[in-house]
Each structure stands twice: as C-alpha cells, then as structure tokens.
C-alpha cells in the first residue's frame, strides 16, 4: 500500500498532489519491458482501492532458501547469473535493494531467475511507501546508515525557490537517480553466499530489527571484506568452515563484503573480473537494457536451442506470458478478486482507524499502523483452469497458423464489443497478429487487410505503427534529438500536460508527465518549420499511452500521423488550413443531411464554433482515450478526409437533440460533450465515406495528394490541375461562400460507370441546367434537362420524376452547367433549401468533358 499525502497537500496549481499509488504505477511500467534470461518477466502492476498495489510476475516454486550447502561450482555459476541480472538493471539506472534468498528462484532448467527486483524502482526506493525495501539482514551498511527515504514534494521546493527570489525549477523535473550505488546489491549477494557456504538458516535468528540494523552497521566499520566474513563466521560459530572454503568462493565473498560501497565493485565490474574466468559463456551474460524495438530487428531463432525442446502439450504452450495474462483477464480473471479470496484485502472499521489527533496541516496522530499498509510478500498463483477450459476447443491449426490460414480465415461478423470479449476468437487473433508482426514490414499489406476486420488490443501499439508505415527502428533517431535544452515552448507544454487526460492513471503519473514532455519536445525540435499548438498534447496522448515504454515509437507515430491527417495544421499561421477544413465539413453536412444543415445554418451554429477541437486533435480532446482507441483503429485505415466523415457521424448521433435546440442550447450541448456511442460513430462513418465522392472532401492542404502529384511529376506525367477532370485548389473565401460542394469531372464519370445492373437505381443523376439548345448539342449520359430559369424565377424546385427518384434512391444529384456558372451554384442552393440530399455541383461544367468521349447527344423523344 502506497503512503498518503497530508490531507491538504496541494501543488502550485491548487490541485491535490498526485496519489503516491499513481506514482508507483507509473514508475513500475518500465519493468514490463525487461527482457533478460535471469530476471522474472514483469507482467503487470494493478492499482486497487485505498492505494493498494499488486504486482503480477512470473514465479517458480523453488528458491535458494530451500537449498542447503551447495557446491562451489554451482555457487560461482549462480553468482554470475545474479550479477548478470543486476548489471542489466543497473543499465536501466535501477538498483535492486531486494536481493534475498527467497527472491532467487530457479526454473525447470536450473537457471537463476531474480524475483521482486522492481520494488525499489517502483517505490522510488521507499519514498512512496511507509516501509523499507528489502530485508534488513541482507541490506548493505550504506543503505542502513541513510535510513528511510522520505517523500520530498516538488511543489514545496518550488515554493521555497520562489520565496528565496530565485528561479523556480521546471514543474516537470527529470527523475532523480537512485539514492544508493549499484554496489549495495553486491553486498547482498555476499551475505547470501555466506549463508549458503556456512549453511546458516537465518542470520541472527533471535535478534530484533533494531539489533540487526546495529549489527549491519558494525559490519560496515570493519577493515575489509575478510574481516567482515570472519566476524560473521564467529557470530554464527562457523570459524572452522572458514578455512575449508574453496579459494574462488572465498575471494568472491570477501570482494562482495567490502565494507564501503565506493570501494566495492559494481555488478558488471565483478562479473568481468578473474573470479568468473572459468564460467561458460560469460560474455553472453553481459546484456544491456534496450527499449523495445519496432520492427523486430533480430532473428527470433538466434538463441534457439534444439536440445531439450519439448513438444507443446497444451494450448498455453503456444502463447507468451503476456498473451496468457491478457486472455486470463478476458476469461474472467481479476487480480484484486484473487487477493480477496486469499484474505489479503482486509479493511479496518473506521471506528478503530480514526486518529486521536489531527493538526491543521493534516498530520494524523494516534492511528495504529495497520498490517495491510506494509509490504506483503505473499505469492498467489493465478488459477488458469477457466482459461484452459475456454481454449480447450480451439483447434491446433489455429494455435500455429500459416499465412494462408490467416488470410483465408473466416470473418467474424459479430459486433466489435463482443469480439473483444470472446476468449477463443481473441486467442486466434492474438497468435495471427503476432506472427504477422514478426514478418513486418514484408507482411504489411496482409496486416492492413486483417485490420479492416478487427484489431487486437494487446498488439494495438505495434499494429498502429504498421498502419502508419513505420519502416525502421526509430530509437537512434529519437536519441539524436535534443530533448533537454530549454526551449521557449517548454512553458506552454508544462501548462498543458497536467490538464491532458489526467483521469488516466499512467498519464497522470510523474513518469507520464516526463515522457509526454520529452515526446512533445522531440516533435517540436524535429519539425522546426512547425510550431506547438494547444491540442498537440492530446494528439500525442494515445500514442504515448500505447507505447509508454517506447518513447521513440510514440514520437515516430506522431510524426507520421500529423502529415497524413493534419498536414500544415501546425504552421504558425494555420487559419487558411483550418478554414478550408471547416468549409469542407460544412459541404459534407449539406450533402449528407440537408435538414440538419439547414437548421444549424439558420440558427448560426456553424462548424467554427464547435469543430475546431475536433480538427486540431482528431477528436482526442473531446473523447476519453478508450473511445479514441476504437475510433483511431478505423481512422488509421482511412485517408486524410476520413475525419470529416467521423465528424459527420457524430452530428448524426446528436441529430435529434440538435434539431430541437436553438443556438444557446447547441453551445451548451457541445461545451460538455454528451455520451456518444463510438461503435455507432465508426459504423456510420464508414457508410458516409462510401457514399461521398472523394473530390467533395478534397482539400488543397492534403499531403497525400501532394505526394501523388510529386510522384507523377518524377515519372514525367503532366499534372495540370484546373484544366482537366480533377478538382483544382480553390480559395478559402470561395469555399466558405458556397453552401453546396463541388465534385470533379473524374468523380462524375466514375459514378456514371459504377452502375452494375440496369435494374439498380443509378449512382448519380445529372441535372443539366443549360438552355435546351445547348443541351441538344451534347450532354452527359442519362442527363435530365431542367433549365436554370425554372429554378431561379420563383426559387422553387420544378416537379420532375428524375429528381424525386434520385431523392428516394439516395443518388447523387449533380448540377451540370458551364464553366464558372453562377447559376449552377444557385440551383444547388435551391435544392439544398428544399431538403434535397446529396446535391453537388460539377466543377467546370460541361467544358471539362469536351476532351473525353463521355459526352453524348441526348434523345429528345
């Protein structure tokens, strides 16, 4: 259980300080990326009620405490493996502090697995909890002398700096280094070896804690390691055995028990010393920590040994530890429920826990220390019976699928919510996506095709990176960016971060703040032509939350996402970009729902009043993160215009409320975004995207279009926008003035050719508004001639069967006139005012088709 702040502890912003359990949760995330053969896999950390913290990790039945009087060769080999794990932690800037015989476990192959190594780093080495880390008997004298770590409030230090007239430090400081040197864990190893060689069940078994601490301090006053060993042997009546120790073991123990940490070697220094010259494959034990890489850049079979390989005997043998835990939770597993079953969630009645005295500063006195507030090292094996039962019916070919099995697998048409809770289905998809990601980037197209059906939450971070086409390991690029030097934008970033999705525990933690600041600064520094705008923090939050232990991948995803969906949006002067986006959104509303558009236009509730946060943050500022994940799963599969369809789908879900509201009510409605069914938004946005001609939502500020244009120019193709069938870049003032959007001649031809069956209604109905004489000379196929004067004289829609049929069938009603024909736009607005849906104006009129073979002579019979 994490310690609590005083009742009225607040930061400089007047808000309560971050709970210590949230800080522990944030600090613990880095250990989920630990990948070392002699460290137990750290699977999860769970925060429960009343600041309780539970850790989920690999565990084995056998530990060192159960072994007695081991052989020298074994002790040296075991020590080398332990030092390898400790050196790996040191490369993460982590000190163990919790090395005890119980935490040295052995797997089925007799390999050492260190357990409980994360407690020190998670708790900021005791600052965030009310108990010490580690066992006093194995703690180094230096640690005992410094005493218990106490929490130092960053906000208090800021107040003191301001009161002294000095410059206040940053409100998001970097994480402090461990208070102890890495050598303190070497002392713990020496004490463990002494226990083994002397076959001591427990050091000073009848001494109290205070006496044990004084004995440890007295050991630190000895002259050297030999004196420490002799003193321990004398106190435990083991002097005769001292002379019997094998020289290598004796030298190792004496080196480990050097009294002063500064004179003691670090785990890495000791591992490369002469003591371990005879250890097999010692060089392979020197492993440095590296953040997770995407894509996987090393051979998966590099360390594969055929010796001792066993054929999988059950469904769980096909899964990784993380996948088993993910499916275990889907099968009904709950960590806190397991603690309750074993009686570890004991609550004290308020009558007993009420303090006898509370000061004005919130300090409590007279509260008895509860046992549940201390570290409970009880290990509870998680039951897997339910999961095994759920997976028992999954065929073996689904557990080890080939590429053909994945590509031709049956599509599950159930709703997304049901698919994400189906254990058997998720098991198959987890394995399929894992195998596809192992083949990335060569299997990227298969990944994209599979993501069109569903996406597995466990691998969402990697799948998003694949959809954004991250081609190489980005760590080197990220490391080369200066994220430390103060920048004028730092102040604004530090103001925005404490307001960014702080309901999420990871983003609210100090580690979350530090990581978000570094990623944002990296983006600013790597894009000098762009500027930081408020909202960029919300845009970055989903990527950081998914890649909490891989900042470089979060930065790379953000750097790919912005050019695709928000090209030029973060310029210093982005008014033209935003206004064009809003104008296109207005055209889409008029096209898809003229009733709603006319109502909102009549009361003056234009997109400028509510849609700018949608545009700048791709909805990440208005929806909680769990909805953003589902929304962006589909968004990343669409083009740069797809967010307009998402915005339209949101309006359709709020349609009834909007039609019943006036201007003030609409303002209030969007000031507090009502609950929106995100699954319905996703489904509706797909239908809108399929119904909308691409050129209707074409934007001049579209990076994808510019990339296609540059590619065409590179191969010698002539690109002449405005003179052919494509839509040119239109000025923003014209777009804002027009209520009915334009489509290109190319889209018009595509819609004319899209009719597969004569019995089906046409996709498009052409309304030729030119005079009859011009119409007779040639028009588009199946065009209906309704001269403009029939609309403009009384601002009414003439009665015609083609218009009514198009309205009832949902066909696109395309107005065809001449180039720069003002009457075409006026006719379109009249149709819009009379609630005709899917009305567009063909840009350039009949003139853009004169160089094609589309024009026909209409039959006048």
């Amino acid at each position: 259980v994490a310690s609590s702040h005083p009742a009225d502890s607040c930061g400089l912003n007047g808000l309560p300080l971050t709970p210590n359990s949230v800080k522990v949760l944030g600090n613990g995330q880095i250990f989920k990326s630990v990948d070392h053969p002699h460290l137990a896999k750290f699977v999860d950390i769970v925060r429960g009620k009343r600041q309780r913290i539970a850790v989920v990790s690999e565990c084995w039945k056998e530990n060192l405490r159960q072994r007695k009087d081991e052989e020298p060769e074994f002790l040296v080999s075991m020590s080398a493996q332990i030092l390898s794990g400790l050196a790996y932690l040191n490369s993460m800037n982590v000190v163990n502090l919790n090395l005890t015989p119980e935490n040295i476990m052995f797997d089925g192959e007799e390999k050492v697995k260190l357990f409980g190594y994360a407690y020190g780093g998670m708790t900021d080495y005791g600052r965030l909890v009310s108990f010490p880390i580690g066992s006093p008997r194995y703690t180094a004298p230096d640690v005992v002398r410094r005493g218990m770590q106490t929490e130092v409030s960053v906000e208090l230090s800021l107040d003191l700096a301001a009161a002294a007239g000095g410059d206040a430090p940053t409100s998001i400081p970097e994480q402090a280094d461990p208070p102890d040197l890495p050598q303190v864990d070497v002392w713990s190893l020496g004490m463990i070896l002494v226990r083994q060689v002397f076959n001591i069940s427990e050091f000073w078994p009848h001494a109290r804690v205070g006496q044990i601490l004084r004995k440890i301090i007295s050991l630190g006053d000895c002259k050297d390691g030999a004196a420490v060993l002799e003193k321990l042997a004398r106190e435990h009546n083991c002097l005769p055995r001292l002379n019997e120790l094998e020289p290598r073991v004796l030298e190792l123990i004496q080196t480990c028990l050097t009294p002063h940490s500064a004179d003691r070697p670090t785990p890495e220094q000791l591992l490369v010393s002469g003591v371990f010259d005879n250890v097999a494959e010692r060089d392979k034990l020197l492993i440095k920590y590296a953040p997770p890489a995407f894509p996987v850049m090393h051979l998966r079979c590099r360390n594969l040994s055929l010796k001792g390989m066993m054929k999988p005997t059950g469904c769980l043998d096909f899964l990784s530890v993380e996948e088993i835990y993910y499916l275990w939770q889907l099968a009904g597993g709950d960590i806190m429920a397991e603690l309750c079953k074993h009686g570890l969630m004991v609550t004290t009645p308020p009558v007993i826990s009420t303090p006898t005295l509370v000061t004005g500063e919130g300090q409590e006195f007279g509260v008895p220390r509860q046992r549940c507030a201390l570290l409970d090292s009880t290990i509870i094996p998680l039951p897997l019976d339910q999961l095994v039962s759920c997976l028992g019916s999954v065929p073996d070919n689904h557990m080890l699928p080939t590429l053909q099995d994945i590509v031709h697998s049956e599509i599950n048409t159930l709703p997304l919510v049901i698919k994400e809770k189906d254990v058997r289905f998720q098991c198959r998809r987890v394995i399929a996506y894992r195998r596809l990601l192992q083949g990335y980037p060569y299997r990227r197209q298969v990944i994209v095709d599979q993501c069109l059906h569903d996406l597995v939450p466990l691998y969402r971070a990697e799948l998003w990176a694949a959809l954004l086409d991250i081609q190489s390991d980005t760590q080197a690029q990220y490391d080369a960016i200066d994220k430390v030097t103060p920048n004028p934008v730092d102040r604004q970033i530090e103001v925005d971060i404490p307001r960014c999705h702080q309901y999420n525990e990871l983003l609210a933690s100090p580690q979350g703040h530090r990581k978000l600041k570094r990623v944002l600064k990296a983006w600013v520094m790597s894009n000098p032509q762009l500027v930081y705008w408020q909202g960029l923090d919300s845009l970055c939050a989903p990527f950081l939350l998914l890649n909490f232990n891989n900042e470089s991948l979060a930065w790379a995803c953000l750097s790919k996402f912005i050019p695709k969906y928000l090209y030029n949006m973060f310029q210093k002067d982005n008014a033209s970009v935003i206004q064009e986006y809003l104008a296109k959104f207005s055209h889409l509303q008029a096209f898809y729902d003229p009733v709603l558009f006319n109502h909102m236009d009549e009361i003056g509730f234009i997109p400028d009043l509510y849609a700018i946060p949608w545009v700048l943050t791709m909805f990440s500022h208005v929806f909680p993160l769990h909805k953003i994940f589902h929304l962006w799963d589909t968004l990343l599969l669409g083009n740069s215009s797809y967010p307009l369809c998402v915005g339209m789908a949101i309006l359709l879900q709020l349609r009834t409320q909007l039609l019943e509201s006036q201007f003030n009510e609409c303002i209030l409605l969007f000031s507090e975004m009502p609950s929106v069914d995100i699954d319905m938004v996703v489904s509706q946005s797909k239908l809108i995207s399929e119904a909308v001609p691409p050129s209707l939502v074409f934007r001049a500020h579209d990076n994808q279009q510019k990339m296609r244009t540059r590619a065409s120019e590179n191969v010698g193709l002539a690109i002449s926008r405005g003179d052919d069938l494509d839509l040119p870049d239109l000025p923003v003032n014209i777009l804002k003035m027009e209520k009915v959007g334009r489509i290109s001649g190319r889209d018009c031809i595509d819609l004319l050719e899209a009719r597969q069956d004569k019995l089906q209604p046409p996709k498009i109905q052409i309304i030729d508004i030119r005079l009859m004489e011009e119409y007779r000379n040639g028009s588009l196929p199946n065009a209906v001639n309704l001269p403009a004067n029939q609309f403009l004289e009384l601002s009414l829609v003439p009665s015609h069967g083609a218009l009514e049929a198009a309205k009832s069938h949902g066909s696109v009603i395309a107005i065809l006139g001449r180039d720069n024909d003002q009457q075409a736009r006026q006719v379109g607005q009249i149709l819009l005012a009379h609630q005709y849906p899917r009305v567009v104006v063909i840009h350039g009129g009949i003139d853009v088709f004169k160089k094609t073979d589309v024009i026909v002579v209409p039959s006048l019979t």
Side-chain angles (χ1 to χ4, degrees):
V1 177
S3 58
S4 300
H5 298 294
D8 64 347
S9 293
C10 294
L12 291 176
N13 56 7
L15 299 175
L17 295 177
T18 305
N20 283 337
S21 56
V22 172
K23 296 180 181 180
V24 172
L25 186 69
N27 292 342
Q29 297 303 308
I30 186 64
F31 296 101
K32 294 166 71 173
S33 64
V34 166
D35 184 15
H36 190 277
H38 301 300
L39 295 176
K41 181 72 73 174
F42 192 91
V43 181
D44 196 14
I45 175 171
V46 182
R47 177 177 180 256
K49 296 179 179 179
R50 299 180 182 87
Q51 303 217 58
R52 285 188 171 93
I53 296 291
V55 173
V56 183
S57 172
E58 283 184 315
C59 184
W60 292 264
K61 293 182 179 180
E62 187 179 10
N63 60 56
L64 188 60
R65 181 167 289 279
Q66 300 165 355
R67 298 197 174 202
K68 304 294 183 183
D69 196 18
E70 298 288 357
E71 294 297 324
E73 287 298 328
F74 171 82
L75 293 177
V76 172
S77 175
M78 178 194 72
S79 300
Q81 296 176 58
I82 293 173
L83 291 170
S84 174
L86 295 176
Y88 181 88
L89 293 175
N90 297 158
S91 69
M92 299 171 63
N93 198 26
V94 171
V95 178
N96 189 341
L97 290 186
N98 194 32
L99 189 61
T100 63
E102 295 85 357
N103 290 334
I104 300 175
M105 298 184 173
F106 299 91
D107 64 7
E109 299 178 358
E110 289 294 300
K111 291 183 179 178
V112 169
K113 297 285 186 177
L114 296 187
F115 180 81
Y117 53 83
Y119 297 161
M122 285 169 48
T123 63
D124 206 2
Y125 303 97
R127 291 188 182 96
L128 305 179
V129 291
S130 55
F131 52 83
I133 301 299
S135 170
R137 291 179 170 87
Y138 301 95
T139 301
D142 313 67
V143 181
V144 176
R145 285 195 180 97
R146 70 164 167 80
M148 279 281 291
Q149 291 288 297
T150 58
E151 183 187 3
V152 178
S153 171
V154 174
E155 286 78 5
L156 180 58
S157 66
L158 290 172
D159 287 334
L160 294 176
D167 294 333
T170 174
S171 60
I172 307 179
E174 288 299 318
Q175 187 174 15
D177 290 330
D180 303 300
L181 297 173
Q183 291 91 321
V184 298
D185 291 329
V186 175
W187 171 280
S188 301
L189 174 60
M191 294 294 288
I192 291 171
L193 290 175
V194 171
R195 175 189 176 275
Q196 291 302 119
V197 296
F198 290 160
N199 197 16
I200 301 172
S201 60
E202 191 67 273
F203 290 113
W204 311 293
H206 304 296
R208 297 181 179 180
V209 174
Q211 295 172 323
I212 295 173
L213 296 179
R214 283 193 290 272
K215 288 183 177 294
I216 292 293
I217 293 176
S218 68
L219 293 177
D221 295 331
C222 293
K223 180 181 178 181
D224 53 22
V228 173
L229 180 58
E230 182 180 349
K231 186 172 183 178
L232 286 171
R234 185 182 299 108
E235 290 182 355
H236 293 85
N237 299 320
C238 298
L239 279 176
R241 291 193 181 187
L242 184 59
N243 298 325
E244 299 174 1
L245 293 181
E246 201 262 346
R248 268 198 311 165
V249 176
L250 179 62
E251 180 186 356
L252 175 59
I253 294 175
Q254 291 177 347
T255 304
C256 290
L257 295 182
T258 302
H260 301 290
S261 289
D263 302 328
R264 201 180 306 134
T266 65
E268 183 177 357
Q269 291 170 347
L270 184 55
L271 185 59
V272 298
S273 67
V275 177
F276 299 101
D277 283 344
N278 296 328
V279 174
E281 299 182 335
R282 179 176 62 171
D283 293 340
K284 292 185 178 181
L285 296 176
L286 293 171
I287 305 173
K288 297 286 187 179
Y289 171 77
F294 179 88
V296 177
M297 305 301 290
H298 62 268
L299 292 173
R300 300 190 303 277
C301 58
R302 180 178 59 184
N303 298 321
L304 182 64
S305 174
L306 297 178
K307 182 181 178 180
M309 286 186 63
M310 298 177 61
K311 184 179 179 180
T313 57
C315 54
L316 300 186
D317 292 338
F318 294 94
L319 302 169
S320 67
V321 175
E322 293 85 358
E323 291 168 348
I324 292 174
Y325 179 66
Y326 168 71
L327 296 173
W328 177 80
Q329 290 178 302
L330 291 182
D334 183 85
I335 296 298
M336 292 303 167
E338 292 298 322
L339 296 181
C340 289
K341 289 180 183 177
H342 291 79
L344 299 180
M345 297 287 284
V346 179
T347 57
T348 304
V351 174
I352 298 177
S353 59
T354 301
T356 56
L357 176 64
V358 180
T359 66
E361 291 76 24
Q363 298 288 339
E364 297 180 352
F365 297 92
V367 180
R369 171 166 289 195
Q370 304 297 326
R371 182 72 183 90
C372 62
L374 304 178
L375 174 65
D376 193 327
S377 57
T378 304
I379 298 175
I380 300 174
L382 298 182
L384 299 175
D385 298 344
Q386 181 68 26
L387 176 59
V388 173
S389 175
C390 288
L391 300 181
S393 59
V394 178
D396 287 346
N397 65 318
H398 288 171
M399 304 301 288
L400 200 63
T402 64
L403 180 62
Q404 294 301 317
D405 293 335
I406 296 172
V407 172
H408 299 294
S409 59
E410 183 179 354
I411 299 174
N412 191 327
T413 58
L414 292 174
L416 179 64
V417 176
I418 297 178
K419 288 195 288 188
E420 288 193 351
K421 300 297 182 183
D422 187 331
V423 180
R424 298 175 184 84
F425 175 76
Q426 285 295 305
C427 177
R428 294 195 296 269
R429 298 303 283 170
V430 159
I431 295 174
Y433 274 123
R434 186 222 307 152
R435 293 177 68 83
L436 289 176
L437 287 169
Q438 288 170 347
Y440 180 84
Y442 307 105
R443 300 300 182 197
R444 180 179 182 275
Q445 190 54 52
V446 181
I447 292 174
V448 173
D449 295 340
Q450 292 298 309
C451 287
L452 290 170
H453 306 304
D454 58 78
L455 191 146
V456 174
L458 179 65
Y459 289 122
R460 178 175 276 125
E462 293 82 3
L463 293 173
W464 279 16
L467 294 178
L468 288 168
D469 201 18
I470 306 297
Q471 287 289 341
S472 60
D473 185 10
T474 57
Q475 189 64 46
Q477 302 173 44
Y478 184 73
D479 290 341
I481 300 173
D482 181 7
K483 303 176 285 293
V484 178
T485 303
N487 191 293
V489 79
D490 289 359
R491 178 58 184 164
Q492 186 59 52
I493 291 177
E494 292 183 359
V495 169
D496 290 345
I497 286 177
R499 301 179 297 185
C500 178
H501 294 287
Q502 293 303 284
Y503 57 86
N504 182 273
E505 294 173 342
L506 288 183
L507 294 181
S509 67
Q511 282 289 4
H513 289 185
R514 295 184 192 106
K515 291 174 179 288
L516 186 53
K517 179 182 176 181
R518 286 195 292 266
V519 173
L520 289 174
K521 286 197 65 173
W523 184 87
V524 171
M525 295 300 293
S526 59
N527 294 275
Q529 75 281 9
L530 303 177
V531 298
Y532 176 87
W533 279 86
Q534 283 185 307
L536 187 61
D537 54 329
S538 296
L539 198 63
C540 179
F543 294 119
L544 179 63
L545 187 59
L546 291 179
N547 299 284
F548 202 77
N549 291 324
N550 194 347
E551 294 176 30
S552 65
L553 189 56
W555 164 78
C557 289
L558 180 67
S559 299
K560 283 278 191 175
F561 184 89
I562 290 177
K564 181 177 181 180
Y565 296 100
L566 294 167
Y567 184 65
N568 284 341
M569 192 67 72
F570 291 95
Q571 290 178 329
K572 189 171 184 179
D573 182 10
N574 63 356
S576 61
V577 185
I578 293 179
Q579 290 304 315
E580 183 196 34
Y581 215 111
L582 298 176
K584 287 294 182 177
F585 186 44
S586 180
H587 293 169
L588 178 59
Q589 292 180 39
F591 174 85
Y592 204 81
D593 193 340
V595 177
L596 180 60
F597 172 82
N598 288 330
H599 172 72
M600 297 177 72
D601 185 59
E602 180 183 352
I603 65 176
F605 193 62
I606 57 177
D608 306 55
L609 299 175
Y610 61 88
I612 291 179
W614 298 4
V615 173
L616 274 175
T617 67
M618 286 293 108
F619 311 97
S620 61
H621 183 69
V622 294
F623 289 133
L625 287 168
H626 69 276
K627 291 187 176 182
I628 288 298
F629 289 149
H630 282 167
L631 179 60
W632 283 14
D633 286 346
T634 304
L635 182 74
L636 291 173
L637 292 165
N639 57 26
S640 60
S641 299
Y642 191 80
L644 295 170
C645 303
V646 173
M648 188 67 229
I650 295 172
L651 292 182
L652 291 178
Q653 196 165 140
L654 304 174
R655 187 175 190 272
T656 303
Q657 295 168 269
L658 290 171
L659 290 175
E660 295 174 352
S661 302
Q662 294 303 308
F663 182 84
N664 291 337
E665 288 83 357
C666 289
I667 290 290
L668 291 174
L669 180 65
F670 281 93
S671 63
E672 295 182 4
M673 193 69 179
S675 178
V676 172
D677 185 343
I678 206 67
D679 293 329
M680 188 178 295
V681 167
V682 170
S683 301
Q684 190 72 41
S685 65
K686 292 179 180 178
L687 297 176
I688 296 171
S689 179
E690 294 170 358
V692 174
S695 56
L696 179 70
V697 289
F698 162 79
R699 295 180 296 112
H701 297 280
D702 183 350
N703 190 37
Q704 292 175 310
Q705 180 62 40
K706 285 180 168 50
M707 291 172 64
R708 287 192 293 269
T709 301
R710 285 194 293 268
S712 300
E713 291 172 345
N714 290 338
V715 296
L717 297 180
I719 302 295
S720 178
R721 302 197 62 82
D723 296 331
D724 56 10
L725 296 173
D726 291 320
L727 196 67
D729 300 345
L730 298 173
V732 174
N733 61 328
I734 292 179
L735 294 174
K736 297 285 286 185
M737 182 178 61
E738 297 176 352
K739 293 185 178 180
V740 177
R742 307 186 188 195
I743 66 169
S744 66
R746 193 176 305 281
D747 277 351
C748 182
I749 294 174
D750 291 342
L751 289 170
L752 286 170
E753 296 175 348
R755 189 177 182 183
Q756 301 291 335
D757 189 348
K758 292 185 177 181
L759 298 178
Q760 293 180 345
K763 298 289 185 181
I764 186 172
Q765 177 61 62
I766 308 296
I767 305 297
D768 193 331
I769 64 169
R770 295 176 299 156
L771 296 176
M772 176 65 72
E773 292 75 13
E774 296 177 273
Y775 172 71
R776 287 175 177 175
N777 292 332
S779 186
L780 297 182
N782 300 320
V784 174
N785 182 230
L786 292 174
N789 60 350
Q790 297 185 24
F791 293 88
L792 301 178
E793 286 179 356
L794 299 175
S795 295
L796 295 175
V797 178
S799 176
H800 196 284
L803 280 174
E804 299 305 320
K807 184 177 182 180
S808 61
H809 293 149
S811 303
V812 175
I813 302 175
I815 311 301
L816 178 67
R818 292 177 296 275
D819 191 16
N820 295 320
D821 192 348
Q822 185 66 26
Q823 289 184 337
R825 292 186 281 277
Q826 292 173 352
V827 169
Q829 291 189 19
I830 291 173
L831 288 169
L832 174 63
H834 285 80
Q835 321 288 20
Y836 277 81
R838 308 196 179 194
V839 177
V840 295
V841 174
I842 300 176
H843 175 77
I846 192 68
D847 299 324
V848 301
F849 300 99
K850 289 182 177 180
K851 295 181 180 180
T852 68
D853 58 356
V854 178
I855 297 178
V856 298
V857 176
S859 173
L860 301 178
T861 58

